[in-house]
Amino acid sequence: MTPGTVADWLGAVSLVAGALLSLAAAIGVLRFPDTLSRMHAATKPQVLGVLLLLLGLGLRLRSPADLGMIVLVGVFQLATAPVAAQMIGRAAYRAGRVDRNLLDADELATADHPPPGRAQ
């Protein structure tokens, strides 16, 4: 087997694994009950799925121009997904769409607005 054949097989495995992780993320977004769970499904497995898809694409294409663009897409995905998740979580919290009883710690609660169940 030549190195090109091995790279093609590894690329194919990465593409299938990335597609399955992205599918799992999509199912999680549809099936999870609350905003924070959906936010988790929309970021963690989706980002890993996209990175695996990009790895598979890079192993299949192997040209320097394509690899540069793939790296840029991966860096952009890693930079924007956590920020988007943070903003979604913060907006859901401020809109009152988060069940505060499920939180282990609530750093955003102030003395004026304690979480339910705590005395003032």
Side-chain angles (χ1 to χ4, degrees), residues 3-19 49-62:
T5 305
V6 172
D8 285 341
W9 277 103
L10 289 174
V13 169
S14 294
L15 287 169
V16 170
V50 167
L51 291 178
L52 281 172
L53 286 170
L54 292 174
L55 174 67
L57 193 61
L59 288 171
R60 300 283 300 204
L61 295 178
R62 294 189 288 268

Side-chain angles (χ1 to χ4, degrees), residues 2 4 22-23 26 29 41 48 50 52 54 63 70 84 96 111:
T2 65
S22 296
L23 176 66
V29 168
L48 182 58
V50 167
L52 281 172
L54 292 174
S63 78
I70 288 170

Side-chain angles (χ1 to χ4, degrees), residues 109-114 120:
T110 63
D112 297 333
H113 299 90
Q120 291 190 12

Side-chain angles (χ1 to χ4, degrees), residues 69-108:
M69 187 60 67
I70 288 170
V71 168
L72 285 175
V73 170
V75 168
F76 186 72
Q77 182 71 26
L78 285 172
T80 58
V83 174
Q86 174 70 22
M87 294 296 107
I88 291 169
R90 178 66 66 99
Y93 182 87
R94 288 184 176 172
R97 308 273 300 169
V98 174
D99 184 8
R100 293 181 180 181
N101 292 327
L102 296 176
L103 299 178
D104 290 334
D106 191 358
E107 289 87 7
L108 296 176

